[in-house]
Amino acid sequence: MSEELVKAIVEMREQDALQLTRDLLDGGSSPLDILDDCRAAMEVVGRRFETGEAFIPELILAGEMLKQISELIKPRLEAETVGEEKLGTVVLGTVEGDIHDIAKDIVGFMLDINGFKVIDLGVDVPPARFVEAVRESGAKIVALSGFLTLAYDPMKATVAALKEAGFADVKVMIGGGQIDDHICEYTGADAWGRDAMAAVNLARQWS
Amino acid sequence: MFVKPDNWDQLSPEEKKKIRLDYWESSEGLVFASPEAEARYRERIHRLRNAIDLNGTDRIISNPSVGSYALRRAGLTGYDMVYNYDKFFDPIMEFNNEFQPDLAINGFPYPGPVFDILGLQTYVWSGQRLSEEYDIQAVEGEYMMADEYADFIMDPSGFWLKTYLPRMCSALEPLRKMPDLPRISEIVDLGGALLPFGMPDVQEMLKKLMEAGNEAMRWISTMGKLGGALAAAGFPSLSSVFWKVPFDFLGDTLRGTKGIMTDMYRRPKDVLAACEAYVPILVSGITKACDAMGAPVAMAPLHKGADGFMSQEQFETFYWPTFKAVMLGLWEEGIVSFLFAEGGYNSRLETIAEMPKGSTVWWFDQTDMRRAKEALEGRACIQGNVPASLMTTGTVEQLRAYCEDLLEVFSGSAGFILANGAGVDKTTDEHVRTMIEIVRQ
C-alpha cells in the first residue's frame, strides 16, 4: 500500500498521483497493489462526498485520475491474473426520451469503483432494452436515471416491463434532479437516491 | 423602448429601479381588450410590483409554471413546441381566460426551422433525434477546448464568432474565415477584409443566415403577438431578458460539466479570468436588452453552483464573485436580477443575502423555504417551491397541504410568490386551479 499515492488522489493532486504511479511501476510495484491504492483512495473520496466534504468536481477529477492510472498500469496488468470478485451486477441507463448522461456516468463510475459490475446501456434506453440486459446478465439490480419530469413515465414503464417479464425479484433504484419519495412511489421503484453514493449504498444493501 | 432621463447618472440604483418599474407598470401603448381586462391587469401588475419591491401585497401572488401543460392539455406535443408555435395562441389564451392566473401563463416555443437551417449541434430536438413527445434537450460537450482559454480571454467576441459558432452550428463553419475586424483601418484593409465574403462557401452561409433570420422573425412575431394578447386580456408577465452566470456560460456552453469541474483544479486561473472576461459583456448586453424591452427584471437560471455541485469554498472562489459582479453591475442600472435556483441552494443562502436590498428576486426549486425566508426576508422577493413531482404525481390534497404550509411560512411576508420549482409538463386542471385559488381563500 502506497499511502503517498492514496493521499495524492484524495487531495486531488493529479500530477503527483500520476508521477507516483510511474515511480511505483518503475520500482517494481504490482499493478494490482496500485489498483488497491486507487480503491482505498476512492473509499475516502466517497466518504467525504457523503459527509459533504467532497463534491462533483472531486468525483469527476478522481475519475479522470483513475482512468489515467489505469492506462499507465494496463500494459503490465495483462501479465497478472485478474480474478476480482464482484459484489453484484447493476444494469444502468438513462430512461427513454432523456439523453442526459452526466449524473448516470458518475453513478456508474462510483458503482464500478466500489466493486460492482456495471452494464451501462447509455441514454434514451427503452424499457425493453433494460429487460433484455437483465435477462442476458442475470443482474439483480437496475438503476434508472432521468433528469426531466418527462422521465417519470418512462421510469414507471421500465419498472412495469421488468415485473411483466418475470423479474419481480430485481431491485430498481431511480435518481435524477426532480426525483423524490412521490416519484419513487409513482414509478413503483424500490428506492431512490439523491446522489452517486446513495446509489452505491443501495446497491450494497441489495447485494 | 425605455428612455433614460437626462439625470440618470446622478441617480441611485433605488431611484433608477423605481423609474424602470414605473415605466413597466405604466405599460405604455398597451391597448386592452376591455375596461375589465385593464382593471384586472392594473391590479395584478401593481401587486407584482409590490412583491418585487418588498412593499407588501394585499395577498400572496400565485404563479404556477405550467405553460407546457397548458399546451399539452390542448393536444399539442413537444414537436409542436419546436415547429408549430403558431398553434400556441388559442390554447394559451383559452387557458389563461379559464384559470385567470395572477400572472400570464405562457409556453416557450423553440425555433425548430432555425435549428434545421443552421445545423445546430448543441441540442437535440423533436422531429430530429427526439420523438414527438419531447421538445429539446442539451447535448453535453466541449465546445471550447482546454487549451483555448487564452484565445477566449483575449477576445471573447472574436472567439465566439470564429470558433464557438462554427462548432455550435455546422452551417456556420465558414465563419472561421472571418477577418480580424479591429485590423480594418485603411482602404487596403477593407478590401482584404471583404475577400472571405466573395468565397462560395461563405456566400452560401450568408444565404442560410438570411433564411434562418426570416424564420427567427416569424418566431419572434408569433411570440410577440401572443405576449401582447395576454397582456391586453389582463395578464401581466414577469417575462424578461434572459442571461446566464459567467461560470454557467463556461460550464454549460463552452467546456461542459466534466470540463469545467476538472478545470477548477487543472487551470483555476484560466477559469477565473474567463469568468471575469464575461462580466462587462453581460452587464452591457443585458442593460441594452432591458432598455429595448422596457423590462425592469433580467432572469438567469442557475446551474452549476447548486448544493452538491461544488463546495462552499469553490462557490465563493469560482461561481459567486463574477455572478455577484454582474448583478451589481445591473443594479447600478436599476435592474433587478431574477434568479431561478434549480436544485437546492441551502448552502448558498448566507452568501446570496449579501446582495443589496431589493436588487434580486429568488425563485427556489428544492431549497428549504424556511431557511430561505430566514436568510432573505426583507432583502429579496422569494418565489417557490412546490415540487414538480407533487404537481405531476401527487394528489390535490397533498398539493393543497404543501401550499398551505408555504403560505403559513410566508404569511405577512413583504414579497412572496407561490410557484412550482421546476416547470411542469403533466398535471391536472384541478392541481392548477388549487394552486391559483389557494392564495385567494
Side-chain angles (χ1 to χ4, degrees), chain A residues 11-12 14-15 49 52-58 60-61 64-65 67-68 96-102 106 123-124 147-154 176-180 182-183 185-186 194, chain B residues 72 124 129-131 133-140 257-258 261-262 264-266 307-312 314 342-343 348 365-366 387-390 392-394 398 421-426:
Chain A
E11 291 174 357
M12 302 290 139
E14 186 178 19
Q15 292 311 319
F49 184 78
E53 296 160 90
F55 298 85
I56 305 283
E58 289 72 33
I60 291 181
L61 187 62
E64 291 289 294
M65 285 192 270
K67 207 190 285 172
Q68 294 173 78
E96 186 165 32
D98 196 329
I99 65 149
H100 292 91
D101 59 3
I102 290 287
I106 296 174
V123 299
D124 191 10
F147 181 70
L148 311 164
T149 57
L150 285 173
Y152 298 162
D153 284 333
Q178 297 295 334
I179 302 297
D180 58 15
H182 292 290
I183 302 309
E185 198 187 322
Y186 176 76
R194 191 170 291 285
Chain B
R72 289 179 186 276
V124 293
R129 270 190 55 196
L130 297 180
S131 67
E133 187 181 5
Y134 302 90
D135 46 24
I136 62 156
Q137 289 175 43
V139 179
E140 272 279 344
T257 306
K258 201 166 130 186
M261 293 289 160
T262 48
M264 284 196 277
Y265 279 101
R266 289 174 174 167
D307 289 340
F309 271 83
M310 57 175 73
S311 70
Q312 183 61 15
Q314 287 161 339
E342 196 170 354
R348 320 299 186 207
D365 177 17
Q366 293 161 24
S389 62
L390 197 53
T392 309
T393 69
Q398 286 171 322
V424 164
D425 287 274
K426 295 182 180 176

Side-chain angles (χ1 to χ4, degrees), chain B residues 181-255:
Chain B
L181 299 175
R183 285 187 52 216
I184 302 173
S185 169
E186 301 296 337
I187 290 169
V188 63
D189 302 324
L190 186 61
L194 283 172
L195 290 180
F197 295 92
M199 295 174 181
D201 59 340
V202 174
Q203 291 185 343
E204 189 54 37
M205 175 193 75
L206 293 173
K207 283 183 202 151
K208 285 193 174 168
L209 276 171
M210 286 167 67
E211 200 187 331
N214 288 337
E215 277 298 332
M217 290 303 278
R218 195 170 73 81
W219 171 70
I220 201 78
S221 70
T222 310
M223 277 169 66
K225 192 176 144 213
L226 178 51
L230 281 167
F235 305 101
S237 164
L238 199 51
S239 73
S240 56
V241 175
F242 181 86
W243 60 287
K244 276 167 86 167
V245 171
F247 189 91
D248 284 336
F249 255 115
L250 270 183
D252 293 355
T253 307
L254 291 178
R255 297 285 296 132

Side-chain angles (χ1 to χ4, degrees), chain A residues 3-201:
Chain A
E3 278 181 22
E4 259 186 294
L5 177 58
V6 174
K7 211 170 160 218
I9 296 173
V10 167
E11 291 174 357
M12 302 290 139
R13 288 184 281 113
E14 186 178 19
Q15 292 311 319
D16 290 351
L18 295 178
Q19 191 53 51
L20 281 165
T21 303
R22 284 187 208 104
D23 293 348
L24 285 168
L25 287 171
D26 291 346
S29 289
S30 150
L32 289 178
D33 287 347
I34 295 176
L35 275 186
D36 280 341
D37 292 341
C38 290
R39 252 179 240 116
M42 280 313 296
E43 224 166 272
V44 180
V45 175
R47 227 173 18 245
R48 289 190 172 184
F49 184 78
E50 281 183 290
T51 55
E53 296 160 90
F55 298 85
I56 305 283
E58 289 72 33
L59 291 190
I60 291 181
L61 187 62
E64 291 289 294
M65 285 192 270
L66 264 54
K67 207 190 285 172
Q68 294 173 78
I69 291 173
S70 299
E71 287 299 315
L72 288 175
I73 63 177
K74 209 189 256 171
R76 310 199 197 185
L77 195 59
E78 280 152 12
E80 302 197 28
T81 41
V82 187
E84 194 200 346
E85 194 74 15
K86 289 286 181 185
L87 292 174
T89 302
V90 181
V91 170
L92 169 73
T94 303
V95 294
E96 186 165 32
D98 196 329
I99 65 149
H100 292 91
D101 59 3
I102 290 287
K104 170 190 71 66
D105 289 350
I106 296 174
V107 167
F109 163 64
M110 291 304 283
L111 285 168
D112 176 61
I113 201 71
N114 281 284
F116 290 88
K117 180 182 175 193
V118 178
I119 300 173
D120 186 344
L121 302 179
V123 299
D124 191 10
V125 182
R129 183 77 193 87
F130 281 104
V131 172
E132 197 184 307
V134 166
R135 188 173 287 130
E136 282 167 5
S137 65
K140 294 291 175 212
I141 302 171
V142 172
L144 306 179
S145 175
F147 181 70
L148 311 164
T149 57
L150 285 173
Y152 298 162
D153 284 333
M155 283 179 171
K156 189 177 181 168
T158 306
V159 173
L162 285 165
K163 292 223 166 80
E164 205 169 293
F167 296 114
D169 58 330
V170 169
K171 296 271 197 186
V172 181
M173 65 172 92
I174 59 174
Q178 297 295 334
I179 302 297
D180 58 15
D181 284 333
H182 292 290
I183 302 309
C184 191
E185 198 187 322
Y186 176 76
T187 57
D190 295 285
W192 71 282
R194 191 170 291 285
D195 55 46
M197 281 312 288
V200 170
N201 289 332

Side-chain angles (χ1 to χ4, degrees), chain B residues 4-55:
Chain B
K4 292 168 185 164
D6 292 341
N7 65 342
W8 186 254
D9 291 340
Q10 278 92 56
L11 300 177
S12 69
E14 287 82 1
E15 288 165 331
K16 290 176 183 172
K17 175 185 165 189
K18 183 182 177 306
I19 294 172
R20 285 190 188 274
L21 285 172
D22 285 345
Y23 176 79
W24 170 67
E25 192 181 344
S26 75
S27 308
E28 207 177 77
L30 182 60
V31 179
F32 290 95
S34 66
E36 296 76 30
E38 177 166 9
R40 283 197 298 267
Y41 183 91
R42 300 268 174 230
E43 182 192 328
R44 285 164 178 161
I45 198 168
H46 189 63
R47 187 179 289 124
L48 177 57
R49 181 204 175 127
N50 276 337
I52 296 170
D53 238 356
L54 301 172
N55 277 338

